[in-house]
Amino acid sequence: MSFQRSPGTQDILPGVVERWQYVEEKARDICRRYNFREIRTPMFESTELFHRGVGETTDIVEKETYNFIDRGERKLTLRPEGTAGVMRAYVENKLYGEPDVSKLYYIGPMFRYERAQAGRYRQFNQFGVEAVGAVDPALDAEVIALGYTFYTEVGLKGVRVEINSVGTPEVRAAFREKLLAYLTPKRDQLCKDCQSRMERNPLRVLDCKVDQHQFTDAPSILDSLDEECEQHFSKVKQHLTDMGIPFEINHRLVRGLDYYTHTAFEFKAEGIGAIDTVGGGGRYNGLVADIGGPDQPGVGFGLGLERTIMLLEHQQTEIPQLHQLDVYMIALGEAADREVTKLVYELRNAGLRAERDYQGRKMKAQMKSADRMQARFTAILGEDELTNGEITLKEMATGEQRTVKLTELAVALS
Ligand code: HAM
């Protein structure tokens, strides 16, 4: 009997995992500079949290969650996204009691039962940030800047920022009526999904890939904003402009989660089949209260790491070679082998990346391994050298050889 991975999941193997490490390290580095600190929350939470947090009428909650009942009869769900869980932790751990804005980030797997296709997985990874405790539009702009910087610094080209304001729930309720008046006469021409969305969440209709072309003259939510929403949105745009971050306004941009208020944004890029959204986020001023916490506003994003890595591959972006050995050690004879065991231990302790043979292979085969592993140096220890307390060092790029004292090996390799 043999086993295969579940549809929509991936094995990330050595050779590819370096890209992941590179991208994750970039995310952490940028978060450090922006003073966002890491938070790690559980991969499953109570089912109710996501119903309240993400929203009953969203595709995610309606058809994509992995739900299960544990042996203690608890109704649980594998997290389909990060924000709801982070807000649960924010409330439960009373982070709102701290004087400063909570600036948090996370990197980890999320789970959605979606139709698997290029760029769409059932287990996928997000890099997300959440800043909770202030309504300042500078924070919306900062979060967008952080995401934009991430894509730029990993080396991606052509990532566009689209922004919109989805207003407050009151603004949306009024806009919903206008929109329904516009959509109702078109109802029969709309796809099945849109017809059902019209009842539950008509704003989502505007975002539909199938029907979008029909909505060129649709009313814009930006014309329905009240004074407060208008001001918030114009300040976000102002800050982005001041920072020199290019953005486009897309009044049809409606995110697939219910918690957004005011700013909604997406990062878009071509190169992953039919999918063009690589990340998205926005402000969620009602979410913390909706899940039973104090009335604290927040703003954040989630960026898909699979999509980021697919784009890196698509654009053939060079990433620094992370796995490169400093030295591959070759022992000739039993006594030398014993010495090499000790030497690699010492070199590794000294901070060097050292490797050796474990299969008793001939020198030629070991040299090939050193090549494959892109070792900077090969160090060859024979019986004579051992007696003299020396070792032969070959620089792989130039082929140059020299003899160094065993006691000076670490220094010679640094
Ligand atoms: P989201 O738009 O549902 O937002 O997901 C964010 C990103 O996660 C997407 O743009 C995409 O790159 C990636 N993603 C989503 N589903 C999949 C999938 N099935 N396969 C691969 N990648 C996927 C959120 O999750 C919000 N929590 C973002 C946020 C944080 N808003 C405020 N704070």
Side-chain angles (χ1 to χ4, degrees):
M1 188 171 180
S2 71
F3 296 98
Q4 286 167 344
R5 58 177 194 265
S6 284
T9 64
Q10 285 197 99
D11 299 314
I12 302 169
L13 304 177
V16 175
V17 82
E18 287 77 10
R19 288 179 191 273
W20 284 81
Q21 292 166 343
Y22 169 71
V23 162
E24 288 167 5
E25 186 39 51
K26 272 279 176 239
R28 290 181 194 286
D29 176 48
I30 295 165
C31 283
R32 269 191 291 274
R33 286 184 265 149
Y34 277 70
N35 195 30
F36 277 72
R37 296 168 75 193
E38 186 175 5
I39 181 165
R40 299 189 188 193
T41 62
M43 265 178 247
F44 57 86
E45 300 268 359
S46 77
T47 299
E48 187 57 24
L49 173 70
F50 298 113
H51 282 249
R52 294 258 194 112
V54 175
E56 301 278 1
T57 64
T58 57
D59 283 356
I60 297 179
V61 164
E62 277 184 353
K63 30 186 198 201
E64 295 171 2
T65 48
Y66 278 89
N67 302 315
F68 63 101
I69 296 179
D70 78 359
R71 289 167 200 272
E73 304 289 313
R74 293 175 196 88
K75 287 187 180 164
L76 299 170
T77 295
L78 294 184
R79 61 181 187 194
E81 58 102 51
T83 315
V86 171
M87 290 311 112
R88 196 265 317 132
Y90 172 84
V91 175
E92 187 170 343
N93 297 286
K94 298 193 174 57
L95 299 187
Y96 51 82
E98 292 173 6
D100 296 309
V101 170
S102 294
K103 293 169 69 174
L104 307 164
Y105 82 90
Y106 48 89
I107 297 173
M110 310 291 161
F111 306 85
R112 295 184 193 176
Y113 191 82
E114 293 203 73
R115 203 165 47 80
Q117 64 179 92
R120 187 159 281 142
Y121 299 91
R122 293 184 177 165
Q123 175 174 335
F124 60 97
N125 291 273
Q126 278 186 357
F127 158 41
V129 309
E130 314 291 350
V132 204
V135 290
D136 191 340
L139 208 49
D140 308 41
E142 175 169 314
V143 162
I144 295 171
L146 200 166
Y148 184 74
T149 306
F150 167 75
Y151 288 118
T152 314
E153 290 197 8
V154 295
L156 285 181
K157 298 197 174 67
V159 176
R160 292 178 291 113
V161 181
E162 288 189 2
I163 64 168
N164 191 20
S165 171
V166 295
T168 55
E170 296 73 40
V171 162
R172 267 204 304 282
F175 178 66
R176 187 191 146 105
E177 296 312 312
K178 269 199 208 167
L179 187 61
L180 279 175
Y182 168 82
L183 290 174
T184 307
K186 293 182 183 286
R187 194 190 160 89
D188 294 344
Q189 289 121 283
L190 301 183
C191 73
K192 281 238 144 32
D193 276 348
C194 281
Q195 293 190 2
S196 86
R197 277 185 200 129
M198 262 181 76
E199 262 122 62
R200 298 141 175 277
N201 194 349
L203 270 73
R204 290 285 294 157
V205 174
L206 289 180
D207 217 17
C208 173
K209 287 257 173 340
V210 185
D211 292 330
Q212 217 172 41
H213 63 279
Q214 299 188 41
F215 305 139
T216 41
D217 57 346
S220 160
I221 191 164
L222 295 176
D223 297 328
S224 297
L225 296 184
D226 62 18
E227 174 91 22
E228 180 213 341
C229 295
E230 180 76 53
Q231 274 204 5
H232 188 91
F233 193 46
S234 76
K235 284 187 183 153
V236 173
K237 289 184 285 185
Q238 189 61 64
H239 287 308
L240 290 174
T241 307
D242 290 347
M243 288 189 275
I245 293 172
F247 64 89
E248 295 155 38
I249 294 165
N250 175 0
H251 72 86
R252 292 206 208 112
L253 193 155
V254 189
R255 309 258 309 120
L257 304 97
D258 277 354
Y259 45 63
Y260 294 109
T261 56
H262 296 281
T263 320
F265 60 87
E266 282 185 346
F267 297 100
K268 296 197 168 171
E270 317 305 320
I272 320 176
I275 291 172
D276 64 355
T277 304
V278 289
R283 179 164 275 287
Y284 45 86
N285 288 353
L287 175 58
V288 181
D290 282 349
I291 61 161
D295 192 10
Q296 289 282 355
V299 57
F301 66 56
L303 313 184
L305 294 185
E306 283 74 9
R307 293 184 190 178
T308 305
I309 284 160
M310 287 173 86
L311 278 179
L312 284 174
E313 282 162 8
H314 177 74
Q315 297 187 0
Q316 300 182 332
T317 314
E318 289 278 328
I319 63 160
Q321 183 56 251
L322 293 183
H323 192 80
Q324 196 191 36
L325 283 182
D326 292 308
V327 61
Y328 190 97
M329 309 247 347
I330 299 177
L332 305 174
E334 224 168 274
D337 189 75
R338 192 173 145 195
E339 183 66 18
V340 158
T341 304
K342 189 183 93 185
L343 282 172
V344 287
Y345 175 72
E346 287 170 0
L347 291 174
R348 288 165 179 167
N349 285 347
L352 291 157
R353 290 161 296 183
E355 184 54 300
R356 53 161 296 177
D357 170 74
Y358 307 98
Q359 294 156 294
R361 294 176 305 171
K362 299 222 158 59
M363 178 150 146
K364 202 169 153 199
Q366 295 195 38
M367 277 300 212
K368 280 195 181 151
S369 290
D371 257 341
R372 269 197 302 277
M373 294 181 195
Q374 293 175 309
R376 281 169 47 229
F377 291 96
T378 311
I380 305 154
L381 188 65
E383 301 291 331
D384 288 350
E385 282 127 329
L386 184 57
T387 319
N388 297 336
E390 290 173 349
I391 190 161
T392 305
L393 211 53
K394 178 176 174 189
E395 187 166 0
M396 299 301 271
T398 58
E400 214 172 278
Q401 291 205 17
R402 66 197 158 108
T403 305
V404 299
K405 291 224 152 27
L406 280 179
T407 47
E408 285 159 18
L409 181 57
V411 177
L413 290 170
S414 311

